[in-house]
Amino acid sequence: MKKIIVVLLSVFFLASCGKDSNACKQSDYVGFYSIEGEGCLLTGTDVELTAFANGPDGVNFDWANATSRLTLAGPLIINECMASVNVVNVQADTDMQVNAMLEGKKMTITYNGKFSGKVINCTETYKK
């Protein structure tokens, strides 16, 4: 009986090693988030973020506060638990890298570059 239990535990252990528990899916990103702290692109502590699917492995972001709304139709492409996109808009004087790291129900977004003519290097955190 002990041999059977050891064999079963070994098989279970080997099977679980093959799974990547750190990988995030598009559906993990999709949803509504509230900011923790202060916003970067939209200022204030009332910023809300909506993440929605775009294509098979991307997400779009929509930020809103009491007075403004901003949509990033990227899409941000998901690789592991990092989603990223380089936003370039010559007319809006924007050339910025956006990276979103998802850890459970917490998302950290960093912005580096130029947004509407202003240099921005900022990080904000959201919770689902």
Side-chain angles (χ1 to χ4, degrees), residues 33-51:
Y33 298 81
S34 296
I35 197 157
E36 294 183 333
E38 184 78 22
C40 293
L41 299 182
L42 293 182
T43 57
T45 58
D46 63 338
V47 180
E48 293 182 344
L49 170 69
T50 305

mmCIF file with all atom_site columns, all heavy atoms in Angstrom, residues 33-51:
data_model
loop_
_atom_site.group_PDB
_atom_site.id
_atom_site.type_symbol
_atom_site.label_atom_id
_atom_site.label_alt_id
_atom_site.label_comp_id
_atom_site.label_asym_id
_atom_site.label_entity_id
_atom_site.label_seq_id
_atom_site.pdbx_PDB_ins_code
_atom_site.Cartn_x
_atom_site.Cartn_y
_atom_site.Cartn_z
_atom_site.occupancy
_atom_site.B_iso_or_equiv
_atom_site.pdbx_formal_charge
_atom_site.auth_seq_id
_atom_site.auth_comp_id
_atom_site.auth_asym_id
_atom_site.auth_atom_id
_atom_site.pdbx_PDB_model_num
ATOM 1   N N   . TYR A 1 33 ? -11.127 47.913 -12.160 1.00 0.00 ? 33 TYR A N   1
ATOM 2   C CA  . TYR A 1 33 ? -10.114 48.143 -11.132 1.00 0.00 ? 33 TYR A CA  1
ATOM 3   C C   . TYR A 1 33 ? -10.277 49.545 -10.542 1.00 0.00 ? 33 TYR A C   1
ATOM 4   O O   . TYR A 1 33 ? -10.627 50.485 -11.261 1.00 0.00 ? 33 TYR A O   1
ATOM 5   C CB  . TYR A 1 33 ? -8.706  48.047 -11.728 1.00 0.00 ? 33 TYR A CB  1
ATOM 6   C CG  . TYR A 1 33 ? -8.350  46.713 -12.314 1.00 0.00 ? 33 TYR A CG  1
ATOM 7   C CD1 . TYR A 1 33 ? -8.758  46.342 -13.592 1.00 0.00 ? 33 TYR A CD1 1
ATOM 8   C CD2 . TYR A 1 33 ? -7.589  45.802 -11.597 1.00 0.00 ? 33 TYR A CD2 1
ATOM 9   C CE1 . TYR A 1 33 ? -8.413  45.119 -14.132 1.00 0.00 ? 33 TYR A CE1 1
ATOM 10  C CE2 . TYR A 1 33 ? -7.232  44.566 -12.126 1.00 0.00 ? 33 TYR A CE2 1
ATOM 11  C CZ  . TYR A 1 33 ? -7.648  44.240 -13.396 1.00 0.00 ? 33 TYR A CZ  1
ATOM 12  O OH  . TYR A 1 33 ? -7.299  43.020 -13.934 1.00 0.00 ? 33 TYR A OH  1
ATOM 13  N N   . SER A 1 34 ? -9.960  49.674 -9.275  1.00 0.00 ? 34 SER A N   1
ATOM 14  C CA  . SER A 1 34 ? -9.934  50.977 -8.593  1.00 0.00 ? 34 SER A CA  1
ATOM 15  C C   . SER A 1 34 ? -8.488  51.300 -8.256  1.00 0.00 ? 34 SER A C   1
ATOM 16  O O   . SER A 1 34 ? -7.721  50.407 -7.865  1.00 0.00 ? 34 SER A O   1
ATOM 17  C CB  . SER A 1 34 ? -10.746 50.932 -7.303  1.00 0.00 ? 34 SER A CB  1
ATOM 18  O OG  . SER A 1 34 ? -12.096 50.685 -7.590  1.00 0.00 ? 34 SER A OG  1
ATOM 19  N N   . ILE A 1 35 ? -8.148  52.563 -8.371  1.00 0.00 ? 35 ILE A N   1
ATOM 20  C CA  . ILE A 1 35 ? -6.769  52.971 -8.103  1.00 0.00 ? 35 ILE A CA  1
ATOM 21  C C   . ILE A 1 35 ? -6.476  52.946 -6.611  1.00 0.00 ? 35 ILE A C   1
ATOM 22  O O   . ILE A 1 35 ? -7.354  53.198 -5.787  1.00 0.00 ? 35 ILE A O   1
ATOM 23  C CB  . ILE A 1 35 ? -6.470  54.366 -8.700  1.00 0.00 ? 35 ILE A CB  1
ATOM 24  C CG1 . ILE A 1 35 ? -4.975  54.583 -8.769  1.00 0.00 ? 35 ILE A CG1 1
ATOM 25  C CG2 . ILE A 1 35 ? -7.176  55.460 -7.926  1.00 0.00 ? 35 ILE A CG2 1
ATOM 26  C CD1 . ILE A 1 35 ? -4.552  55.608 -9.780  1.00 0.00 ? 35 ILE A CD1 1
ATOM 27  N N   . GLU A 1 36 ? -5.250  52.611 -6.297  1.00 0.00 ? 36 GLU A N   1
ATOM 28  C CA  . GLU A 1 36 ? -4.738  52.710 -4.932  1.00 0.00 ? 36 GLU A CA  1
ATOM 29  C C   . GLU A 1 36 ? -3.718  53.838 -4.962  1.00 0.00 ? 36 GLU A C   1
ATOM 30  O O   . GLU A 1 36 ? -2.662  53.702 -5.564  1.00 0.00 ? 36 GLU A O   1
ATOM 31  C CB  . GLU A 1 36 ? -4.084  51.400 -4.497  1.00 0.00 ? 36 GLU A CB  1
ATOM 32  C CG  . GLU A 1 36 ? -5.049  50.251 -4.381  1.00 0.00 ? 36 GLU A CG  1
ATOM 33  C CD  . GLU A 1 36 ? -4.383  48.984 -3.887  1.00 0.00 ? 36 GLU A CD  1
ATOM 34  O OE1 . GLU A 1 36 ? -3.170  48.794 -4.099  1.00 0.00 ? 36 GLU A OE1 1
ATOM 35  O OE2 . GLU A 1 36 ? -5.090  48.170 -3.289  1.00 0.00 ? 36 GLU A OE2 1
ATOM 36  N N   . GLY A 1 37 ? -4.025  54.949 -4.368  1.00 0.00 ? 37 GLY A N   1
ATOM 37  C CA  . GLY A 1 37 ? -3.123  56.103 -4.402  1.00 0.00 ? 37 GLY A CA  1
ATOM 38  C C   . GLY A 1 37 ? -3.566  57.110 -5.439  1.00 0.00 ? 37 GLY A C   1
ATOM 39  O O   . GLY A 1 37 ? -4.760  57.343 -5.631  1.00 0.00 ? 37 GLY A O   1
ATOM 40  N N   . GLU A 1 38 ? -2.606  57.658 -6.149  1.00 0.00 ? 38 GLU A N   1
ATOM 41  C CA  . GLU A 1 38 ? -2.822  58.748 -7.109  1.00 0.00 ? 38 GLU A CA  1
ATOM 42  C C   . GLU A 1 38 ? -2.607  58.259 -8.539  1.00 0.00 ? 38 GLU A C   1
ATOM 43  O O   . GLU A 1 38 ? -1.715  57.450 -8.791  1.00 0.00 ? 38 GLU A O   1
ATOM 44  C CB  . GLU A 1 38 ? -1.843  59.882 -6.793  1.00 0.00 ? 38 GLU A CB  1
ATOM 45  C CG  . GLU A 1 38 ? -1.991  61.120 -7.630  1.00 0.00 ? 38 GLU A CG  1
ATOM 46  C CD  . GLU A 1 38 ? -3.144  62.013 -7.210  1.00 0.00 ? 38 GLU A CD  1
ATOM 47  O OE1 . GLU A 1 38 ? -3.583  61.921 -6.057  1.00 0.00 ? 38 GLU A OE1 1
ATOM 48  O OE2 . GLU A 1 38 ? -3.589  62.810 -8.046  1.00 0.00 ? 38 GLU A OE2 1
ATOM 49  N N   . GLY A 1 39 ? -3.399  58.771 -9.487  1.00 0.00 ? 39 GLY A N   1
ATOM 50  C CA  . GLY A 1 39 ? -3.255  58.409 -10.890 1.00 0.00 ? 39 GLY A CA  1
ATOM 51  C C   . GLY A 1 39 ? -2.135  59.166 -11.582 1.00 0.00 ? 39 GLY A C   1
ATOM 52  O O   . GLY A 1 39 ? -1.744  60.245 -11.142 1.00 0.00 ? 39 GLY A O   1
ATOM 53  N N   . CYS A 1 40 ? -1.623  58.599 -12.672 1.00 0.00 ? 40 CYS A N   1
ATOM 54  C CA  . CYS A 1 40 ? -0.545  59.216 -13.458 1.00 0.00 ? 40 CYS A CA  1
ATOM 55  C C   . CYS A 1 40 ? -1.085  59.937 -14.691 1.00 0.00 ? 40 CYS A C   1
ATOM 56  O O   . CYS A 1 40 ? -0.864  61.130 -14.847 1.00 0.00 ? 40 CYS A O   1
ATOM 57  C CB  . CYS A 1 40 ? 0.445   58.154 -13.924 1.00 0.00 ? 40 CYS A CB  1
ATOM 58  S SG  . CYS A 1 40 ? 1.395   57.361 -12.639 1.00 0.00 ? 40 CYS A SG  1
ATOM 59  N N   . LEU A 1 41 ? -1.765  59.208 -15.549 1.00 0.00 ? 41 LEU A N   1
ATOM 60  C CA  . LEU A 1 41 ? -2.291  59.813 -16.779 1.00 0.00 ? 41 LEU A CA  1
ATOM 61  C C   . LEU A 1 41 ? -3.512  60.663 -16.482 1.00 0.00 ? 41 LEU A C   1
ATOM 62  O O   . LEU A 1 41 ? -3.638  61.773 -16.973 1.00 0.00 ? 41 LEU A O   1
ATOM 63  C CB  . LEU A 1 41 ? -2.634  58.735 -17.805 1.00 0.00 ? 41 LEU A CB  1
ATOM 64  C CG  . LEU A 1 41 ? -1.480  57.866 -18.280 1.00 0.00 ? 41 LEU A CG  1
ATOM 65  C CD1 . LEU A 1 41 ? -1.975  56.870 -19.329 1.00 0.00 ? 41 LEU A CD1 1
ATOM 66  C CD2 . LEU A 1 41 ? -0.349  58.697 -18.843 1.00 0.00 ? 41 LEU A CD2 1
ATOM 67  N N   . LEU A 1 42 ? -4.412  60.126 -15.702 1.00 0.00 ? 42 LEU A N   1
ATOM 68  C CA  . LEU A 1 42 ? -5.534  60.895 -15.155 1.00 0.00 ? 42 LEU A CA  1
ATOM 69  C C   . LEU A 1 42 ? -5.225  61.081 -13.684 1.00 0.00 ? 42 LEU A C   1
ATOM 70  O O   . LEU A 1 42 ? -5.038  60.110 -12.956 1.00 0.00 ? 42 LEU A O   1
ATOM 71  C CB  . LEU A 1 42 ? -6.860  60.162 -15.322 1.00 0.00 ? 42 LEU A CB  1
ATOM 72  C CG  . LEU A 1 42 ? -7.382  59.968 -16.738 1.00 0.00 ? 42 LEU A CG  1
ATOM 73  C CD1 . LEU A 1 42 ? -8.736  59.261 -16.705 1.00 0.00 ? 42 LEU A CD1 1
ATOM 74  C CD2 . LEU A 1 42 ? -7.491  61.279 -17.472 1.00 0.00 ? 42 LEU A CD2 1
ATOM 75  N N   . THR A 1 43 ? -5.152  62.318 -13.242 1.00 0.00 ? 43 THR A N   1
ATOM 76  C CA  . THR A 1 43 ? -4.782  62.575 -11.854 1.00 0.00 ? 43 THR A CA  1
ATOM 77  C C   . THR A 1 43 ? -5.984  62.408 -10.935 1.00 0.00 ? 43 THR A C   1
ATOM 78  O O   . THR A 1 43 ? -7.133  62.460 -11.367 1.00 0.00 ? 43 THR A O   1
ATOM 79  C CB  . THR A 1 43 ? -4.195  63.982 -11.696 1.00 0.00 ? 43 THR A CB  1
ATOM 80  O OG1 . THR A 1 43 ? -5.153  64.933 -12.162 1.00 0.00 ? 43 THR A OG1 1
ATOM 81  C CG2 . THR A 1 43 ? -2.909  64.115 -12.480 1.00 0.00 ? 43 THR A CG2 1
ATOM 82  N N   . GLY A 1 44 ? -5.679  62.177 -9.689  1.00 0.00 ? 44 GLY A N   1
ATOM 83  C CA  . GLY A 1 44 ? -6.724  62.047 -8.684  1.00 0.00 ? 44 GLY A CA  1
ATOM 84  C C   . GLY A 1 44 ? -6.726  60.664 -8.062  1.00 0.00 ? 44 GLY A C   1
ATOM 85  O O   . GLY A 1 44 ? -6.059  59.743 -8.540  1.00 0.00 ? 44 GLY A O   1
ATOM 86  N N   . THR A 1 45 ? -7.494  60.547 -6.990  1.00 0.00 ? 45 THR A N   1
ATOM 87  C CA  . THR A 1 45 ? -7.604  59.274 -6.285  1.00 0.00 ? 45 THR A CA  1
ATOM 88  C C   . THR A 1 45 ? -8.893  58.536 -6.643  1.00 0.00 ? 45 THR A C   1
ATOM 89  O O   . THR A 1 45 ? -9.182  57.492 -6.077  1.00 0.00 ? 45 THR A O   1
ATOM 90  C CB  . THR A 1 45 ? -7.558  59.508 -4.759  1.00 0.00 ? 45 THR A CB  1
ATOM 91  O OG1 . THR A 1 45 ? -8.627  60.399 -4.403  1.00 0.00 ? 45 THR A OG1 1
ATOM 92  C CG2 . THR A 1 45 ? -6.221  60.092 -4.333  1.00 0.00 ? 45 THR A CG2 1
ATOM 93  N N   . ASP A 1 46 ? -9.653  59.095 -7.599  1.00 0.00 ? 46 ASP A N   1
ATOM 94  C CA  . ASP A 1 46 ? -10.921 58.483 -7.995  1.00 0.00 ? 46 ASP A CA  1
ATOM 95  C C   . ASP A 1 46 ? -10.834 57.800 -9.358  1.00 0.00 ? 46 ASP A C   1
ATOM 96  O O   . ASP A 1 46 ? -11.850 57.484 -9.960  1.00 0.00 ? 46 ASP A O   1
ATOM 97  C CB  . ASP A 1 46 ? -12.028 59.533 -8.011  1.00 0.00 ? 46 ASP A CB  1
ATOM 98  C CG  . ASP A 1 46 ? -11.796 60.637 -9.039  1.00 0.00 ? 46 ASP A CG  1
ATOM 99  O OD1 . ASP A 1 46 ? -10.626 60.846 -9.443  1.00 0.00 ? 46 ASP A OD1 1
ATOM 100 O OD2 . ASP A 1 46 ? -12.766 61.291 -9.440  1.00 0.00 ? 46 ASP A OD2 1
ATOM 101 N N   . VAL A 1 47 ? -9.620  57.537 -9.848  1.00 0.00 ? 47 VAL A N   1
ATOM 102 C CA  . VAL A 1 47 ? -9.444  56.936 -11.169 1.00 0.00 ? 47 VAL A CA  1
ATOM 103 C C   . VAL A 1 47 ? -9.879  55.474 -11.127 1.00 0.00 ? 47 VAL A C   1
ATOM 104 O O   . VAL A 1 47 ? -9.523  54.732 -10.220 1.00 0.00 ? 47 VAL A O   1
ATOM 105 C CB  . VAL A 1 47 ? -7.977  57.038 -11.634 1.00 0.00 ? 47 VAL A CB  1
ATOM 106 C CG1 . VAL A 1 47 ? -7.800  56.399 -13.007 1.00 0.00 ? 47 VAL A CG1 1
ATOM 107 C CG2 . VAL A 1 47 ? -7.521  58.495 -11.661 1.00 0.00 ? 47 VAL A CG2 1
ATOM 108 N N   . GLU A 1 48 ? -10.648 55.088 -12.124 1.00 0.00 ? 48 GLU A N   1
ATOM 109 C CA  . GLU A 1 48 ? -11.057 53.701 -12.297 1.00 0.00 ? 48 GLU A CA  1
ATOM 110 C C   . GLU A 1 48 ? -10.569 53.217 -13.645 1.00 0.00 ? 48 GLU A C   1
ATOM 111 O O   . GLU A 1 48 ? -10.506 53.983 -14.605 1.00 0.00 ? 48 GLU A O   1
ATOM 112 C CB  . GLU A 1 48 ? -12.572 53.571 -12.199 1.00 0.00 ? 48 GLU A CB  1
ATOM 113 C CG  . GLU A 1 48 ? -13.087 53.882 -10.809 1.00 0.00 ? 48 GLU A CG  1
ATOM 114 C CD  . GLU A 1 48 ? -14.583 53.698 -10.683 1.00 0.00 ? 48 GLU A CD  1
ATOM 115 O OE1 . GLU A 1 48 ? -15.280 53.628 -11.718 1.00 0.00 ? 48 GLU A OE1 1
ATOM 116 O OE2 . GLU A 1 48 ? -15.059 53.625 -9.540  1.00 0.00 ? 48 GLU A OE2 1
ATOM 117 N N   . LEU A 1 49 ? -10.198 51.954 -13.714 1.00 0.00 ? 49 LEU A N   1
ATOM 118 C CA  . LEU A 1 49 ? -9.661  51.352 -14.928 1.00 0.00 ? 49 LEU A CA  1
ATOM 119 C C   . LEU A 1 49 ? -10.535 50.176 -15.332 1.00 0.00 ? 49 LEU A C   1
ATOM 120 O O   . LEU A 1 49 ? -10.895 49.350 -14.494 1.00 0.00 ? 49 LEU A O   1
ATOM 121 C CB  . LEU A 1 49 ? -8.229  50.859 -14.667 1.00 0.00 ? 49 LEU A CB  1
ATOM 122 C CG  . LEU A 1 49 ? -7.582  49.998 -15.737 1.00 0.00 ? 49 LEU A CG  1
ATOM 123 C CD1 . LEU A 1 49 ? -7.297  50.828 -16.988 1.00 0.00 ? 49 LEU A CD1 1
ATOM 124 C CD2 . LEU A 1 49 ? -6.300  49.388 -15.216 1.00 0.00 ? 49 LEU A CD2 1
ATOM 125 N N   . THR A 1 50 ? -10.884 50.145 -16.602 1.00 0.00 ? 50 THR A N   1
ATOM 126 C CA  . THR A 1 50 ? -11.588 49.001 -17.161 1.00 0.00 ? 50 THR A CA  1
ATOM 127 C C   . THR A 1 50 ? -10.652 48.339 -18.161 1.00 0.00 ? 50 THR A C   1
ATOM 128 O O   . THR A 1 50 ? -10.128 49.010 -19.058 1.00 0.00 ? 50 THR A O   1
ATOM 129 C CB  . THR A 1 50 ? -12.884 49.421 -17.876 1.00 0.00 ? 50 THR A CB  1
ATOM 130 O OG1 . THR A 1 50 ? -13.692 50.161 -16.960 1.00 0.00 ? 50 THR A OG1 1
ATOM 131 C CG2 . THR A 1 50 ? -13.647 48.215 -18.381 1.00 0.00 ? 50 THR A CG2 1
ATOM 132 N N   . ALA A 1 51 ? -10.412 47.051 -18.001 1.00 0.00 ? 51 ALA A N   1
ATOM 133 C CA  . ALA A 1 51 ? -9.596  46.285 -18.941 1.00 0.00 ? 51 ALA A CA  1
ATOM 134 C C   . ALA A 1 51 ? -10.526 45.341 -19.687 1.00 0.00 ? 51 ALA A C   1
ATOM 135 O O   . ALA A 1 51 ? -11.317 44.631 -19.069 1.00 0.00 ? 51 ALA A O   1
ATOM 136 C CB  . ALA A 1 51 ? -8.526  45.505 -18.196 1.00 0.00 ? 51 ALA A CB  1
#
